[in-house]
Amino acid sequence: MGTRIIERASFKVIGVELQTTTCDGRNLEAIPEFWNSFIQKGLAARIPHRTHPEVLMGMCADFANDGSFTYSIGAEVARIDEVPDGMVARTVPAAKYAVFTAKGK
């Protein structure tokens, strides 16, 4: 798995979200299960207007002091005017990001 730090302009993402927590390591079980479900349901194919069809991303956001946060699986898109049922759209702000690249199953 490669890691790099990048500065990135704002971009748009459509995907699905999971509320989880670091308490008792629950996120360490919930996130892999979430990815398995995403893949088994073929949800990537439902995301319209993908800018890089071969790339999916997992993102952490909305951290709270109690250890809870939002984990998203999705894809960068050109526009967010068509969000499939059960999915959400986010505009990710311009910032410096850590990018972890994983390839394979």
Side-chain angles (χ1 to χ4, degrees):
M1 180 183 308
T3 305
R4 59 194 167 96
I5 303 296
I6 63 167
E7 289 200 35
R8 179 107 204 252
S10 177
F11 60 99
K12 295 170 179 47
V13 174
I14 292 178
V16 291
E17 294 184 338
L18 168 74
Q19 299 300 312
T20 190
T21 180
T22 57
C23 293
D24 299 323
R26 284 183 246 169
N27 59 310
L28 301 177
E29 290 183 17
I31 292 172
E33 290 172 3
F34 191 45
W35 270 102
N36 285 337
S37 175
F38 181 89
I39 291 165
Q40 288 174 354
K41 292 177 181 176
L43 296 179
R46 294 186 50 221
I47 300 173
H49 314 296
R50 291 174 63 176
T51 57
H52 306 285
E54 71 286 356
V55 176
L56 292 171
M57 58 181 72
M59 299 183 303
C60 300
D62 308 326
F63 292 93
N65 290 334
D66 65 358
S68 64
F69 66 98
T70 302
Y71 186 82
S72 304
I73 301 173
E76 184 176 348
V77 296
R79 57 187 220 249
I80 56 175
D81 58 336
E82 297 175 43
V83 180
D85 288 342
M87 293 191 173
V88 297
R90 280 188 179 249
T91 299
V92 181
K96 191 178 285 190
Y97 291 97
V99 177
F100 304 88
T101 303
K103 295 182 181 182
K105 295 181 181 181

